[in-house]
Amino acid sequence: MKFAILVNEGPYNHQASDSAYQFAKAAIDKGHRVSRIFFYHDGVNNATRLTEPPQDDRHIVNRWTKLAEEQSVDLVVCVAAALRRGLVEENLAPGFRISGLGQLVEAGIQSDRLVTFGD
Amino acid sequence: MKFAILVNEGPYNHQASDSAYQFAKAAIDKGHRVSRIFFYHDGVNNATRLTEPPQDDRHIVNRWTKLAEEQSVDLVVCVAAALRRGLVEENLAPGFRISGLGQLVEAGIQSDRLVTFGD
Amino acid sequence: MEEEMSGTIKKFMFINRKAPYGTVYALEGLEVVLISAAFDQDVSLTFADDGVYQLRKGQHTKGIDVKNFSPTYRALEGYDIEKLYVEKESLDARGLTEDDLLVPVEVLTSAEIGALMDEQDVVISF
Amino acid sequence: MEEEMSGTIKKFMFINRKAPYGTVYALEGLEVVLISAAFDQDVSLTFADDGVYQLRKGQHTKGIDVKNFSPTYRALEGYDIEKLYVEKESLDARGLTEDDLLVPVEVLTSAEIGALMDEQDVVISF
Amino acid sequence: MLHIVNKSPYERNSLDGCLRIAKKGGAILLIEDAVYAATKGNAAEAKLKSAMANLPVYALSADLEARGMHESVIDGVKLVDYAGFVDLVAENPNVQSWL
Amino acid sequence: MLHIVNKSPYERNSLDGCLRIAKKGGAILLIEDAVYAATKGNAAEAKLKSAMANLPVYALSADLEARGMHESVIDGVKLVDYAGFVDLVAENPNVQSWL
């Protein structure tokens, strides 16, 4: 089955991005395809390359980058939400791309299920 | 009277930083002193110089910078919270400084009132 | 739009459960709704819980220095987005009636909204 | 610490009203509490509403891949932070008792907590 | 003590926590989405009115206006602007935000 | 339809909204802080039990364990891991997250 995921909150502050990652990983492990993960609202903050969490904590941003590289998941950051919050090409982590909201609607059309994680 | 303010949420996503700004401005207009504004949790995202809100919207980050410059308000971003969220010297807006959590406790000790704005 | 999408019409429901201004979800949710109009899908909007406050007449945001986006709900018709549902139970609990709202809506019971929700292909909640 | 601060002892109360893990407030709130210990102030912690869940015994976070910070509450005593208050009404509503908590606390009624809160110089809520 | 509440009484339990714990002699200020609690016909109206017997309740007028609720305010709730908010903080010996 | 709830039944009204609107034939999955609703003696227990007559209720075990609540689960609530979460999404024709 083809899944798309919507992540509405930033890393660390809310569990949303953790839950979304665990869900994506489990879906892939079960043989499903995660075609796109769309980051909206504060969710755009998942895409900054500048985070430096404590050594003994998970690195949420790097985890997404790795997922994109190893599983060809399309990580899309909403441009309008990103501009409001200071997420631009300059601080964008590898594996993410910035694009329009149409990519979210398209994901809804093209995938079998769209699952939202937020606050 | 000497006020300190704690801002716990990022710009645009929650009204907290708007309310904190309006409160600070009103306090100064009434002749009080706002000695320090401390940014914690997602509040650290108020300090990024990379936001580009729509033209017809308020520019929350620039508003803080102007307040710091015109009223000598000490804008302090918590270093631990900032590292988790990708806020570092590289993307820090003018008027803000990154420092430790002790600055929050110190603000509580040295000010007459500490007012918190959050989610 | 890609080739594989041509002809696909899905039922999209956007559920609004948050009050305006206190958080950005109402505003950014509306931005998604507007974009969805370009995709020729079967789009509906549901307002429940504090989401019904989004449609309150007479919003004046000058005092909080935040943009008043409530006129945009009136523009939805121009985008051919005409299915606006409001949950009766949520209106009642807030002392509001249809007359308090700034656009014409269809007031439905919780059960009716539940039934409509069940029929959707994609449900996005803000 | 600056000269003007020497000798100043204020009553600081940290109020914890959020469950752990779903949001970061509990963890980052605890970080403030630990720092406050270095300032020789009169510090107390209150747990009310979902904040009482922070003290639940038996937290195992491996499955969600998030750091288990609950052992830190046991370390508070070593920082001379010994005033931990838990609201009885919040425990009761959640089916919890003192035995379910991982540190010794003083269980107080809402009214008693309200009275203590009134006496504080600085109240910070997470 | 000034108790500040900023969340809708429907969405969150912060007003409930405040009303349970706040002591007589203090004051309550409703800002942001919490101003809905100060409007007529809302489900929290009875709770708020009963609290008003012990504590004065204020609401921030700019937040009521933004939400189109400024003409629906419950009798007895006092409206303040941001300057009035500052005064409340200054007049009360301490302050708690019910986040 | 799968209804996902992620907030504590005390802090937010999202479980209430879900229980009011969710139709028979669907299923409810409690994740993150919403797993507290699946634990014995909590104030939402009666509501949840009554809902279980019409809809199966699932709870994410990793979230229960993180919160130390895995031994307090209400009888009849089914535990799932992340793989079971994926199965629930796949088995139900559509999904709504009650944010």
Side-chain angles (χ1 to χ4, degrees):
Chain A
M1 203 170 250
K2 200 162 141 190
F3 289 109
I5 293 172
L6 172 59
V7 178
N8 286 340
E9 297 297 330
Y12 303 104
N13 212 94
H14 298 85
Q15 205 187 334
S17 56
D18 289 292
S19 298
Y21 174 78
Q22 299 298 342
F23 178 85
K25 211 163 51 102
I28 291 164
D29 286 349
K30 287 194 73 94
H32 296 292
R33 189 175 148 212
V34 176
S35 52
R36 180 172 296 162
I37 303 180
F38 192 85
F39 297 88
Y40 197 41
H41 305 307
D42 271 0
V44 301
N45 292 322
N46 279 278
T48 172
R49 63 169 175 78
L50 300 174
T51 57
E52 294 174 42
Q55 293 286 348
D56 59 349
D57 202 354
R58 78 272 190 216
H59 196 307
I60 294 181
V61 178
N62 288 357
R63 221 164 52 174
W64 287 126
T65 295
K66 196 160 166 255
L67 192 75
E69 283 166 359
E70 293 178 359
Q71 306 291 340
S72 312
V73 180
D74 187 20
L75 304 181
V76 183
V77 177
C78 170
V79 60
L83 285 173
R84 277 198 188 98
R85 293 165 179 86
L87 201 285
V88 294
E89 293 294 343
E90 186 180 334
N91 56 344
L92 192 72
F96 292 87
R97 66 187 178 94
I98 297 175
S99 187
L101 266 176
Q103 301 280 308
L104 169 60
V105 181
E106 194 188 84
I109 297 171
Q110 294 181 347
S111 64
D112 299 304
R113 299 285 185 281
L114 172 65
V115 187
T116 307
F117 294 87
D119 180 43
Chain B
M1 201 171 254
K2 200 161 143 190
F3 288 108
I5 294 172
L6 171 60
V7 178
N8 286 339
E9 297 297 330
Y12 304 105
N13 212 94
H14 298 85
Q15 203 185 335
S17 56
D18 288 294
S19 298
Y21 174 78
Q22 298 298 342
F23 178 84
K25 210 162 53 101
I28 292 165
D29 286 349
K30 288 192 73 95
H32 295 291
R33 189 173 150 214
V34 176
S35 53
R36 179 173 295 162
I37 304 181
F38 193 85
F39 297 87
Y40 196 42
H41 305 306
D42 272 0
V44 300
N45 292 322
N46 279 279
T48 171
R49 62 170 176 77
L50 300 173
T51 56
E52 294 176 41
Q55 293 286 348
D56 58 350
D57 202 353
R58 78 269 189 217
H59 197 306
I60 294 181
V61 179
N62 288 357
R63 222 163 51 175
W64 287 127
T65 296
K66 196 160 165 256
L67 192 75
E69 285 166 357
E70 294 178 357
Q71 306 291 340
S72 312
V73 180
D74 187 19
L75 305 181
V76 182
V77 177
C78 169
V79 60
L83 285 172
R84 277 198 187 98
R85 292 164 180 87
L87 201 285
V88 292
E89 293 293 343
E90 186 180 335
N91 56 346
L92 191 73
F96 292 86
R97 66 187 178 94
I98 297 175
S99 186
L101 266 176
Q103 301 279 308
L104 169 60
V105 180
E106 193 187 84
I109 297 171
Q110 295 181 344
S111 63
D112 299 303
R113 300 285 184 281
L114 172 66
V115 187
T116 307
F117 294 87
D119 181 42
Chain C
M1 268 177 266
E2 292 175 29
E3 193 62 28
E4 61 171 302
M5 287 171 60
S6 62
T8 311
I9 295 189
K10 282 193 172 183
K11 282 164 109 63
F12 272 73
M13 181 181 274
F14 296 99
I15 310 207
N16 300 280
R17 291 186 60 252
K18 305 273 172 82
Y21 310 115
T23 55
V24 83
Y25 304 107
L27 166 64
E28 290 190 334
L30 196 50
E31 290 177 356
V32 179
V33 171
L34 293 173
I35 296 284
S36 75
F39 285 79
D40 293 321
Q41 303 295 303
D42 181 358
V43 172
S44 61
L45 270 69
T46 294
F47 298 84
D49 290 313
D50 282 350
V52 303
Y53 284 133
Q54 294 178 25
L55 300 178
R56 183 72 168 99
K57 278 179 187 162
Q59 299 176 30
H60 298 290
T61 60
K62 198 161 172 274
I64 59 169
D65 191 19
V66 171
K67 197 186 159 185
N68 177 2
F69 59 93
S70 67
T72 312
Y73 295 103
R74 287 209 200 90
L76 288 175
E77 213 185 339
Y79 287 83
D80 289 328
I81 295 172
E82 290 167 335
K83 294 183 197 166
L84 271 64
Y85 307 118
V86 173
E87 192 201 19
K88 185 178 184 306
E89 286 77 356
S90 295
L91 278 180
D92 291 350
R94 285 156 187 80
L96 297 177
T97 69
E98 251 183 284
D99 290 342
D100 296 314
L101 308 183
L102 45 77
V103 283
V105 298
E106 193 172 342
V107 178
L108 300 176
T109 64
S110 312
E112 288 169 325
I113 286 180
L116 272 177
M117 202 186 276
D118 254 16
E119 293 170 8
Q120 305 300 312
D121 296 302
V122 181
V123 181
I124 301 183
S125 184
F126 292 108
Chain D
M1 268 179 265
E2 294 174 27
E3 193 61 29
E4 60 172 302
M5 287 171 60
S6 63
T8 311
I9 295 189
K10 282 193 172 185
K11 282 164 108 64
F12 272 74
M13 181 181 275
F14 296 98
I15 308 208
N16 300 280
R17 293 186 58 253
K18 305 275 171 80
Y21 310 116
T23 54
V24 83
Y25 304 106
L27 166 64
E28 291 190 333
L30 196 49
E31 291 177 356
V32 179
V33 171
L34 294 175
I35 296 285
S36 75
F39 285 79
D40 294 320
Q41 303 295 303
D42 181 357
V43 172
S44 61
L45 269 68
T46 293
F47 297 84
D49 290 314
D50 283 351
V52 303
Y53 283 133
Q54 294 178 25
L55 300 179
R56 183 74 167 95
K57 276 180 189 161
Q59 300 177 30
H60 298 289
T61 59
K62 199 161 171 271
I64 58 170
D65 192 19
V66 171
K67 198 186 158 184
N68 177 3
F69 59 92
S70 67
T72 311
Y73 296 104
R74 286 209 202 92
L76 288 175
E77 212 185 339
Y79 287 84
D80 288 328
I81 296 171
E82 290 168 335
K83 295 184 197 167
L84 271 63
Y85 307 118
V86 172
E87 192 201 17
K88 185 180 184 308
E89 286 77 355
S90 294
L91 279 180
D92 290 349
R94 285 157 187 80
L96 298 177
T97 67
E98 252 184 284
D99 289 342
D100 295 315
L101 309 183
L102 46 76
V103 282
V105 298
E106 192 172 343
V107 177
L108 300 176
T109 64
S110 311
E112 288 169 325
I113 286 181
L116 272 177
M117 202 185 276
D118 254 16
E119 294 170 8
Q120 304 301 312
D121 296 303
V122 182
V123 182
I124 301 183
S125 185
F126 292 107
Chain E
M1 162 160 241
L2 178 66
H3 298 270
I4 303 174
V5 180
N6 77 328
K7 288 294 167 186
S8 153
Y10 297 99
E11 196 205 11
R12 306 273 185 117
N13 67 346
S14 48
L15 180 63
D16 285 335
C18 168
L19 295 181
R20 204 171 61 236
I21 291 176
K23 257 194 70 156
K24 200 167 169 162
I28 296 175
L29 171 63
L30 306 171
I31 67 169
E32 300 179 4
D33 288 347
V35 296
Y36 291 119
T39 61
K40 284 176 192 160
N42 96 84
E45 187 173 357
K47 270 188 283 191
L48 200 78
K49 278 185 173 164
S50 120
M52 280 162 64
N54 290 312
L55 305 121
V57 174
Y58 299 85
L60 196 61
S61 50
D63 280 319
L64 280 161
E65 285 161 14
R67 290 158 181 82
M69 303 303 280
H70 44 294
E71 284 168 10
S72 316
V73 179
I74 294 168
D75 296 335
V77 172
K78 296 165 195 176
L79 301 191
V80 292
D81 56 11
Y82 288 105
F85 181 175
V86 172
D87 289 342
L88 283 171
V89 173
E91 287 160 13
N92 283 276
N94 50 9
V95 53
Q96 144 75 346
S97 295
W98 289 86
L99 303 185
Chain F
M1 165 161 239
L2 178 67
H3 298 271
I4 303 173
V5 181
N6 77 328
K7 288 294 167 188
S8 152
Y10 297 99
E11 196 205 11
R12 304 274 183 118
N13 66 346
S14 48
L15 180 64
D16 285 334
C18 169
L19 296 180
R20 203 171 62 235
I21 291 176
K23 258 194 69 157
K24 201 168 169 161
I28 296 174
L29 171 63
L30 306 171
I31 67 169
E32 302 178 2
D33 288 346
V35 297
Y36 290 118
T39 61
K40 285 177 192 159
N42 96 83
E45 187 172 359
K47 272 189 281 192
L48 200 79
K49 279 186 171 164
S50 120
M52 281 162 64
N54 290 312
L55 304 122
V57 174
Y58 300 84
L60 196 60
S61 49
D63 279 320
L64 281 161
E65 285 159 14
R67 290 160 181 80
M69 303 304 279
H70 45 295
E71 284 169 12
S72 316
V73 179
I74 293 168
D75 295 337
V77 172
K78 297 165 195 175
L79 301 192
V80 292
D81 57 11
Y82 287 105
F85 181 176
V86 171
D87 290 341
L88 282 171
V89 173
E91 287 160 13
N92 284 275
N94 50 10
V95 53
Q96 145 74 347
S97 295
W98 290 86
L99 304 184

